[in-house]
Amino acid sequence: MKYIRNTVLLSVLSLFLSAACLLPVRAAEDAPAQADLPVYHVRFSGPGLYVFADPSLTGEPTAVLADQTQVQVIEGPTDYLVRIRVCGTELEGYTDVRYLKRTDAVVADYDIYTYEEMEADIRELQARYPDLLRVDVTGTSADGRNLYALTMGGQNASRHILVHAGIHAREYMNPLLVMEQVEQCLDYYDSGVFHGSTYRDIFTNVAVHIVPMVNPDGIAVSQFGEAGLRSPELVQMVRICYAYDVAAGRTQSPYDVYLKKWKANARGVDLNKNFPFGFAIGTSAVQPSYAGFPGLQPFSEPEAASLGSVTLQYRPAVVISYHSMGEVAYWNTSESKYTDLNTLFSSYMLSFVPYKRMGSGGASGSYLDWIYSGETPVRSVTFETGNVSCPLPAGQYPRIWIQHESVLQAAAWYVFAGFANDAG
């Protein structure tokens, strides 16, 4: 369900603080032709987005741009910094790229990001960036939905990172986040610079694998209740889960509220407890449920098996897992063999995303437990987005995007720069 987008250029009151504040116009031979550049609009800027003459973004702003003001990017981004030209004016200056979005972006701002919208976005991104994005179907969910894995950048790269989201159904804002992260990187593939390295160099040498929606069936339940499921047998299973959870005292919520809080897949298995290491330890549910039931055996669920197969195929040096809620980060388990090296990586990532670092817990069959139990060193951090209860309301997204816009670039650069070698 997309927000209604305002495509009309709003009047920008107080665009120029004074005539003396205007930046000098570049020489024609130095400035890119406006017709050759895509148009972006300002979003999430609240009272206004500052534009500065100085690339350090210091001093008095040259202009303050209102939401929906249209601009063109003429240089960058360099980390967060971008040089823009305001459409219809001669004003140029530097601002924060996190507040800009292409007017013809594929991944739009949604109140609820559905599987169908994600699937359509994947097709459009592949059509727009055929040489930069590969799309694989890695399995089929219990309710017959394709399970997707995207690969951005070097198809033959020897180094890999993996990002996944939506393993818990009610955390369905995170698939929107990772899909927009992918599009942002593709959009600036030939112009972006991160920590002194070009996006093209980074992503040519480090393949980024994205599993944007691990649990599409469960997400459909959380978003639409029973109507989100195609299979009558799975609808019946969801009803059985509710009866069990009521009888076991695991919920007192009305049925419709219970379904909105759904975490499991459509068979009542918590996918983040369906992995081998620590399987069924400390389980809170002994039969299918909205949350907590690990399944009958590890990898019993097609969604967990699919994520596991992508992980084993690429052996990523770095993994980013997206969950919600609390604005905290998990980075280790008490059984992990890689505490020292993951301390360095998690500290690096938390310098970009200022979440609270959480302590180590014991293994309980989660994806994180599993990747830390192997013989291949892996660095990982799990970000818990949002600061209110799930499912997160749409108003949480602007804050989450600004916090996480550069996560893919930062993780890939860490590997590209050699910090993810086995010894450190």
Side-chain angles (χ1 to χ4, degrees):
M1 268 61 97
K2 301 183 178 180
Y3 284 135
I4 299 173
R5 286 194 259 179
N6 181 1
T7 57
V8 179
L9 177 60
L10 300 178
S11 299
V12 184
L13 298 176
S14 303
L15 181 62
F16 306 107
L17 299 182
S18 68
C21 289
L22 286 176
L23 291 173
V25 181
R26 283 184 163 190
E29 63 270 21
D30 295 330
Q34 291 192 35
D36 296 337
L37 298 174
V39 176
Y40 297 77
H41 69 275
V42 175
R43 60 174 183 164
F44 305 155
S45 63
L49 178 62
Y50 291 147
V51 180
F52 296 88
D54 183 351
S56 66
L57 304 188
T58 59
E60 290 296 319
T62 303
V64 182
L65 306 182
D67 279 335
Q68 304 302 317
T69 301
Q70 294 186 345
V71 305
Q72 290 174 301
V73 174
I74 56 177
E75 185 180 331
T78 300
D79 299 333
Y80 291 131
L81 182 68
V82 69
R83 184 174 178 84
I84 55 99
R85 174 186 296 124
V86 179
C87 294
T89 76
E90 295 181 341
L91 176 66
E92 294 181 5
Y94 297 92
T95 193
D96 190 328
V97 70
R98 294 173 294 181
Y99 294 87
L100 301 181
K101 186 177 181 72
R102 275 181 68 154
T103 54
D104 64 344
V106 171
V107 182
D109 300 338
Y110 298 86
D111 51 357
I112 294 177
Y113 192 56
T114 68
Y115 170 82
E116 290 75 19
E117 287 162 337
M118 181 199 71
E119 194 171 44
D121 289 348
I122 288 172
R123 288 195 295 266
E124 288 189 47
L125 286 174
Q126 190 177 34
R128 182 176 286 187
Y129 304 101
D131 298 328
L132 303 179
L133 186 68
R134 190 182 79 228
V135 178
D136 295 310
V137 175
T138 59
T140 306
S141 71
D143 203 30
R145 293 174 174 86
N146 287 337
L147 303 173
Y148 289 99
L150 316 181
T151 299
M152 178 177 65
Q155 304 299 323
N156 299 313
S158 61
R159 294 172 287 179
H160 305 265
I161 71 170
L162 173 63
V163 180
H164 71 86
I167 197 169
H168 281 151
R170 66 191 185 189
E171 300 166 13
Y172 54 75
M173 187 171 285
N174 294 324
L176 168 61
L177 171 65
V178 299
M179 287 294 294
E180 187 167 0
Q181 288 172 332
V182 171
E183 181 171 23
Q184 176 104 325
C185 291
L186 292 169
D187 185 23
Y188 292 122
Y189 203 93
D190 287 316
S191 63
V193 175
F194 191 84
H195 284 10
S197 300
T198 67
Y199 282 21
R200 180 167 286 278
D201 281 347
I202 295 170
F203 296 128
T204 297
N205 289 281
V206 180
V208 180
H209 306 281
I210 306 98
V211 180
M213 190 179 287
V214 177
N215 183 11
D217 297 350
I219 285 174
V221 171
S222 181
Q223 291 174 337
F224 303 112
E226 288 184 358
L229 293 176
R230 306 164 179 175
S231 164
E233 291 79 10
L234 291 175
V235 170
Q236 186 62 28
M237 174 58 74
V238 168
R239 293 174 180 174
I240 291 171
C241 290
Y242 182 61
Y244 159 68
D245 285 334
V246 170
R250 304 191 77 241
T251 186
Q252 296 180 342
S253 297
Y255 187 49
D256 60 335
V257 176
Y258 170 85
L259 295 183
K260 290 182 186 299
K261 296 179 180 180
W262 192 268
K263 292 179 68 176
N265 72 352
R267 302 202 303 195
V269 175
D270 189 325
L271 297 176
N272 204 38
K273 294 185 177 298
N274 194 230
F275 292 86
F277 194 74
F279 179 76
I281 293 176
T283 183
S284 60
V286 296
Q287 68 184 62
S289 170
Y290 83 105
F293 179 59
L296 298 179
Q297 61 185 17
F299 291 129
S300 63
E301 304 310 296
E303 301 91 344
S306 177
L307 178 59
S309 69
V310 173
T311 306
L312 291 174
Q313 179 179 357
Y314 296 111
R315 302 283 181 177
V318 158
V319 173
I320 304 293
S321 301
Y322 273 112
H323 285 256
S324 297
M325 61 190 174
E327 294 193 347
V328 298
Y330 294 94
W331 64 282
N332 200 25
T333 64
S334 57
E335 299 90 352
S336 176
K337 305 174 184 179
Y338 312 124
T339 299
D340 291 341
L341 61 85
N342 207 37
T343 298
L344 297 175
F345 172 69
S346 60
S347 296
Y348 165 75
M349 293 305 299
L350 290 173
S351 71
F352 296 95
V353 182
Y355 283 5
K356 179 182 178 181
R357 180 192 295 271
M358 301 301 288
S360 302
S364 59
S366 74
Y367 176 81
L368 191 69
D369 299 328
W370 178 60
I371 63 172
Y372 284 155
S373 68
E375 297 303 321
T376 303
V378 61
R379 294 146 183 84
S380 179
V381 63
T382 298
F383 289 120
E384 299 271 355
T385 61
N387 58 13
V388 297
S389 298
C390 291
L392 300 176
Q396 288 275 297
Y397 189 68
R399 176 183 176 90
I400 291 170
W401 170 252
I402 291 166
Q403 291 169 336
H404 292 269
E405 178 268 346
S406 65
V407 162
L408 264 62
Q409 300 94 310
W413 180 87
Y414 191 87
V415 178
F416 172 76
F419 293 108
N421 295 330
D422 288 359

